[in-house]
Amino acid sequence: MKLSHIDYPKAIKNKLKEACDGEFSSYLLDPKLTSLRTICEIIVDRELSKADENTFRLFFNVAKEDDLKKGIQKFDIDRLKPIQFFIKRENYNAGVEYLEILAIIVDFKPRPLSNFIKNGSLDSSKSEENITDRKNTFIEPKEDEKGFSGKKKIGIWILAFAGMFLAGYGMKEIILPEKQCMLWKGNHYEKIDCQQENLGFISEIVIPFDENEFELRKIKVCDTTTFFKNGKAIVWYGKKDGTVTFFNQDGRNPENGDELKEITKYMIDKYVVECE
């Protein structure tokens, strides 16, 4: 089966289910941000492949000459939230940069994405066997075909160059597909380009675009606000540092990543003030 970048998160999700019964099960079953960072620290203490080390250094923004583990310890763990969301939520789509880190955490192979696409199979061992078989198998051309071998080689080279040209044109879309992210701004999400150069200087949390979550809004309420419709809550709330904020739909509090809760009469009586 020919694989693409669309299959990568599905394959990692399947591997994640296995990993939840493995060495890091206690961390992955309830994936706190500090737990995810701890896993990365543990992995760094072991012998990393050059590719995995480069992935870690790129993601955690640690220079080649700097201590990788110390860099991870200083890293803003809020930037790990897309990984946390991907683990906890069934249909959450994290960006490729986050998937690469999770692939290392759960030891998914083949990784990174470029190897996954080239591998051509979800079973790396089978793929390697197939490649070996193809290398060791040679079929002697029939006598009447040998005369055409030169022309065939020319045709193959033309096709190869054409393929290289098309691959070069489209490789960026495969390995680095254009992605939309979103950034919480005060009381709503705004779309931004995930690849923009100054992304590292943004202090707010940037997460992959989610069509449903993009509609989330922080709202102001008072005692005349309609909180229920046909007996069901139409307002949700979240807490941060003891302060209660209200939202127009279910989801996660973009200010701390906690699950929002349905409004209750108790919360209305305790926190909702009279309209001015």
Side-chain angles (χ1 to χ4, degrees):
M1 180 183 70
K2 187 175 181 180
L3 302 175
S4 74
H5 65 279
I6 298 175
D7 300 298
Y8 200 46
K10 299 176 184 176
I12 292 176
K13 182 72 80 171
N14 288 334
K15 181 64 176 179
L16 175 63
K17 294 175 182 177
E18 297 179 18
C20 285
D21 293 324
E23 177 185 9
F24 297 127
S25 60
S26 58
Y27 295 104
L28 296 174
L29 290 172
D30 183 21
K32 296 181 173 63
L33 298 178
T34 51
S35 299
L36 295 176
R37 182 172 60 185
T38 298
I39 295 175
C40 292
E41 292 175 31
I42 293 172
I43 292 173
V44 168
D45 282 335
R46 301 170 182 176
E47 188 174 352
L48 278 174
S49 70
K50 196 63 180 176
D52 286 349
E53 181 182 342
N54 289 338
T55 299
F56 265 29
R57 288 189 179 276
L58 183 62
F59 180 82
F60 291 106
N61 195 25
V62 181
K64 188 176 181 180
E65 62 274 12
D66 293 336
D67 186 278
L68 180 55
K69 186 173 181 179
K70 288 182 179 178
I72 293 174
Q73 290 170 344
K74 295 177 182 178
F75 188 74
D76 179 7
I77 59 173
D78 279 341
R79 304 279 306 222
L80 295 174
K81 283 189 175 179
I83 299 177
Q84 181 190 52
F85 292 168
F86 183 86
I87 296 173
K88 296 180 74 171
R89 301 165 69 174
E90 187 63 32
N91 298 316
Y92 186 84
N93 295 320
V96 173
E97 63 270 34
Y98 302 105
L99 292 175
E100 300 295 19
I101 297 299
L102 187 55
I104 296 173
I105 288 175
V106 302
D107 196 25
F108 172 78
K109 295 177 181 178
R111 63 176 187 264
L113 174 60
S114 55
N115 283 345
F116 176 78
I117 293 173
K118 287 187 292 185
N119 187 65
S121 170
L122 294 179
D123 188 333
S124 57
S125 60
K126 287 184 180 179
S127 177
E128 289 172 1
E129 289 172 3
N130 291 338
I131 292 172
T132 303
D133 290 343
R134 287 198 295 270
K135 286 182 178 178
N136 295 335
T137 303
F138 175 75
I139 301 176
E140 178 69 25
K142 294 180 181 178
E143 198 66 35
D144 58 349
E145 292 176 345
K146 290 181 179 179
F148 295 98
S149 61
K151 293 181 180 179
K152 286 183 178 180
K153 287 180 180 178
I154 294 172
I156 290 171
W157 276 107
I158 292 173
L159 290 173
F161 277 116
M164 288 170 63
F165 173 79
L166 291 173
Y169 181 81
M171 191 60 68
K172 183 179 179 183
E173 297 301 318
I174 296 173
I175 297 178
L176 294 172
E178 281 191 27
K179 297 171 291 178
Q180 286 293 329
C181 284
M182 55 188 193
L183 174 72
W184 183 254
K185 281 286 188 181
N187 62 358
H188 66 286
Y189 278 112
E190 292 183 4
K191 277 187 181 180
I192 63 169
D193 181 3
C194 298
Q195 304 298 330
Q196 66 184 60
E197 294 181 359
N198 64 341
L199 198 58
F201 298 98
I202 296 176
S203 59
E204 294 89 350
I205 298 171
V206 177
I207 63 173
F209 177 78
D210 182 285
E211 187 174 354
N212 293 326
E213 224 166 313
F214 185 71
E215 301 301 322
L216 185 70
R217 299 285 186 275
K218 185 189 291 187
I219 58 175
K220 293 182 179 180
V221 300
C222 62
D223 60 346
T224 61
T225 301
T226 300
F227 292 97
F228 302 94
K229 188 173 182 180
N230 297 326
K232 293 184 178 180
I234 57 173
V235 174
W236 281 257
Y237 72 92
K239 283 185 178 181
K240 182 186 178 185
D241 300 328
T243 301
V244 177
T245 49
F246 301 91
F247 297 86
N248 66 325
Q249 65 178 41
D250 193 9
R252 287 186 176 271
N253 189 336
E255 296 175 343
N256 58 14
D258 292 343
E259 289 278 0
L260 296 177
K261 298 178 181 179
E262 289 185 359
I263 194 68
T264 63
K265 188 177 184 306
Y266 170 80
M267 293 299 294
I268 295 172
D269 293 339
K270 186 172 182 178
Y271 292 102
V272 175
V273 298
E274 293 183 1
C275 295
E276 293 181 357

